[in-house]
Structures are given as C-alpha cells and as structure tokens.
Amino acid sequence: MKNDEIKILAIESSCDETAASVVVNGRDVRSNVISSQVPIHTLYGGVVPEIASRKHIERINQVIDEALKEAAMGLDEMDAIAVTYGPGLVGALLVGVAEAKAIAFARNIPLVGVHHIEGHISANYISAPELEPPFICLVVSGGHTHLVKVTDYGKYEIIGRTVDDAAGEAFDKVARAIGLGYPGGPKVEAKAKEGDPSAIAFPRAKVSDRPYDFSFSGLKSAVLNYMNGCTMKGETYNEADIAASFQAAVVGTLCDHAVMAIEEFGVDKFALAGGVASNGAFREAIKDACDQRNVKFYCPPPILCTDNAAMIGAAGYYSFISGRRDGWELNAVPGLKLGER
Ligand code: KG4
Ligand code: ZN
C-alpha cells in the first residue's frame, strides 16, 4: 500500500440510484457501480419514496461488494467511508447512512458525511484533473437549480437558486404532460431533436429583485396551458415542437444567468453539474457562451452528471483531508443546505 494514496469507499442513496465507488485521492475513480431503480419507478411515472428505500436495502450490500471487487481492494484498505447524508429522500438517505455507519463502526474506519450537491459539483474534479477552485458552477438536477461560487474546496457561496421547481423537475413534468414518461429529461431531449425550438414562445421567467434566482413552475404551467388551449380549440399540437420550445426556454434561462454571473464576477472557469448537465443542447449553449468570453468550460460526462457515488468520493476526499470526521450520530438530513453541517 502506498502511503500517499487516500482510498475512499463512497456510498450514494439519496434518490433512486443505489451507488458505491472507490476513489483514490479524490480524482482517481477505481470503480463506479450504479444500480438504477428507473425501470421500477417508470411503472408509477416517478420516484415512489417507499419503493426507493426498499430497493436500496435490497441492493446496497451487493453494490458495495461489486465496487470493492472492481477496484480490487478490500474494506480494510479504505481510509474513509464517505456517504451522502442530505439532501434527498429521507428513507433513501437513511439506508446509505446506516450502511456507512455500520461498516465504519465494524472496521474502525473514519466516517465522512457528504452533501449531495457538493458531490455533483465535485464530479468536475474527476473529469478535469487540473480543475481547482475558484470557479462558478451551475448545478442543475431533478431536485436543485443552484448557481454557486466555489471559492475553495468545500467552500461555497450561493449566487442564485430556484424559487420553485428545479429545472430537471420541469423536464420531468413536461415529459409526463406530453406523454413521454419517466425519466423525462432524456426523453424530452430526444423528442426536441425532431422539433422546432422557435415554434412556441414559452416564457422565460425572471425573479424580480433577485436576478440570479430561477423560476420554472410558470414555464411548466405555460406548456400545460398551451396544450389545453389547443385541445379546447380542437387543434392538434406538435409534441416535438413543444419539447424543443420548452427545452430552448430552459436552456435560454440557464444560459442568461450563467452569462450574467461570468460577466459580473469575472471568473475564468465555469462548470456544470447535475443530471440536466447531461443534456446536449444545454452543454453546447453554455460551452459557446464560455468560449465567446474566453472562459474555460467544464462539464462531467453524462455518467458523472446523474447520481453516482464517485462524485461523493471526490467531495468526501476534500472533506476528509480538511479534517472532517462524523460520529455515530450522523443522520439523514433531507433538507440539508449547501455549506451547512
Ligand atoms: O442529478 P440527478 O441524477 O438527480 C438529482 O439529484 O436530482 O438528476 C436527475 C434529473 C431528472 O430530473 C432528469 O430528468 C434530468 O436530471 N435529466 C435530464 C437529462 N438527463 C437527466 N434533463 C434534461 N436532459 C437530459 N438529457
Ligand atoms: Zn443528484
């Protein structure tokens, strides 16, 4: 065993992916096992929390065993166990937290609680080994839309956040409305490729007095109103045009905020994170905006954008080396705020 290697077993179970990963020195991913529950939740059109918890319990041991096996390492070689303890579904989070505590206790390994959004941001450290703070990160997932200034490892200033729905949630709701099913994001993206993004002028909401905040619930309602309006007039609507126009409105809003932050804060590095960052149109729009302003653009590959444990291992590493240790009182915190302990 090399002494300069810090090996972390990371566990993620905040929503509908049961995941475990072994990460060395925060950026070197030795395994990244993800057991997705999507096929089960698809039957219900969205994540059913009780089912998610039960499936995590059924799968977590096997997922951890696989992660260790793939990394060709044993539990005794781990320097720390990192686990997502919030935000997320409380029952789902509890499974990972209880498992991590049990392993840490039984093997006498330090325990490190990780914030899920900090994990999403830290996925960029894996895909871009040269990336170091400070930078701005736009985190766009099913539960969160946060524009964050990363001032140092583990240090965050929130510039803006959604006041209602998250962008990914809007994708999921619109997908359901136009009959594409769950999970909505990738399906809307595929449908949008067949449509005209300028066919329907959906609103791009601004939050008065808080220019960096986001609001997506009005956009979702506008899509539903448009569809109802067509139905009432006996007209048909084009689903691909709706998908493309909706996506253009979300991407446009996200991009406007990103550009405003780049210009105001004068950063030279801008990163994306979260499930929606796997959307090709979104990545391209932000990349173009960065290129035009000589700002270096970062975005993890799709597999590190959606929920995974490797990102928890990356975030956990920086917390671990800064001295964070959690005790047996570590609990799931469904509404945990970024930067809070
Ligand atoms: O980060 P994530 O896996 O879970 C949360 O922490 O929420 O994000 C999941 C969200 C879902 O709302 C999903 O519809 C969205 O990310 N998403 C996408 C795409 N892939 C996933 N949204 C738009 N386009 C995509 N290609
Ligand atoms: Zn997530």
Side-chain angles (χ1 to χ4, degrees):
M1 185 169 91
K2 278 190 259 156
N3 288 332
D4 58 349
E5 286 195 341
I6 293 179
K7 305 181 182 80
I8 294 191
L9 170 67
I11 299 170
E12 154 65 39
S13 69
S14 66
C15 191
D16 60 347
E17 325 282 351
T18 318
S21 167
V22 173
V23 181
V24 175
N25 290 344
R27 306 206 183 212
D28 177 6
V29 177
R30 298 292 173 90
S31 63
N32 186 20
V33 178
I34 305 166
S35 170
S36 175
Q37 302 178 4
V38 163
I40 305 152
H41 298 292
T42 299
L43 300 172
Y44 304 93
V47 178
V48 183
E50 290 78 6
I51 297 177
S53 312
R54 185 180 308 202
K55 290 292 156 195
H56 285 311
I57 292 174
E58 284 172 17
R59 293 175 179 181
I60 197 154
N61 283 318
Q62 194 193 341
V63 165
I64 291 171
D65 283 348
E66 260 180 64
L68 289 165
K69 204 167 142 205
E70 218 178 286
M73 287 183 206
L75 269 181
D76 293 334
E77 289 174 79
M78 296 300 122
D79 296 288
I81 312 285
V83 63
T84 307
Y85 73 109
L89 302 169
V90 66
L93 287 164
L94 268 173
V95 177
V97 170
E99 178 82 13
K101 286 201 282 192
I103 298 171
F105 181 75
R107 302 292 181 122
N108 197 23
I109 304 171
L111 177 68
V112 179
V114 174
H115 191 290
H116 184 74
I117 298 300
E118 186 167 8
H120 274 300
I121 295 170
S122 304
N124 282 285
Y125 297 137
I126 299 169
S127 50
E130 76 286 4
L131 175 63
E132 286 184 26
F135 59 93
I136 289 183
C137 187
L138 179 52
V139 191
V140 197
S141 73
H144 311 272
T145 308
H146 277 61
L147 190 56
V148 182
K149 209 194 279 181
V150 183
T151 54
D152 200 348
Y153 291 107
K155 299 234 167 6
Y156 308 97
E157 282 170 24
I158 296 171
I159 304 169
R161 55 153 66 89
T162 181
V163 296
D164 42 53
D165 291 356
E169 197 179 344
F171 267 95
D172 294 333
K173 287 177 177 167
V174 166
R176 197 175 310 158
I178 55 179
L180 298 176
Y182 175 85
K187 293 189 172 155
V188 170
E189 182 179 12
K191 197 76 183 165
K193 291 203 170 96
E194 305 158 19
D196 173 6
S198 56
I200 310 150
F202 287 130
R204 298 176 186 202
K206 288 201 166 68
V207 181
S208 55
D209 301 340
R210 294 201 303 266
Y212 285 109
D213 280 352
F214 303 90
S215 168
F216 292 107
S217 74
L219 171 59
K220 170 202 68 193
S221 303
V223 172
L224 297 177
N225 289 342
Y226 173 81
M227 293 169 67
N228 287 337
C230 291
T231 308
M232 273 157 56
K233 285 185 268 175
E235 292 170 4
T236 56
Y237 49 77
N238 182 319
E239 282 140 13
D241 284 348
I242 294 176
S245 302
F246 160 77
Q247 182 174 276
V250 176
V251 169
T253 303
L254 293 169
C255 212
D256 288 350
H257 283 66
V259 166
M260 201 163 46
I262 288 169
E263 290 179 349
E264 179 170 342
F265 298 105
V267 283
D268 59 357
K269 289 173 266 180
F270 192 93
L272 295 184
V276 180
S278 50
N279 182 290
F282 175 43
R283 295 160 80 102
E284 248 168 66
I286 301 281
K287 186 180 182 306
D288 283 353
C290 287
D291 287 352
Q292 283 164 24
R293 292 166 181 81
N294 267 332
V295 170
K296 197 144 182 355
F297 168 76
Y298 297 88
C299 187
I303 193 69
L304 292 175
C305 285
T306 45
D307 288 349
N308 66 87
M311 68 186 196
I312 303 303
Y317 168 78
Y318 289 103
S319 284
F320 179 75
I321 61 169
S322 77
R324 177 172 179 148
R325 304 290 183 271
D326 285 279
W328 311 133
E329 73 288 352
L330 182 71
N331 205 352
V333 184
L336 186 67
K337 302 269 180 302
L338 190 63
E340 220 174 55
R341 231 195 123 138

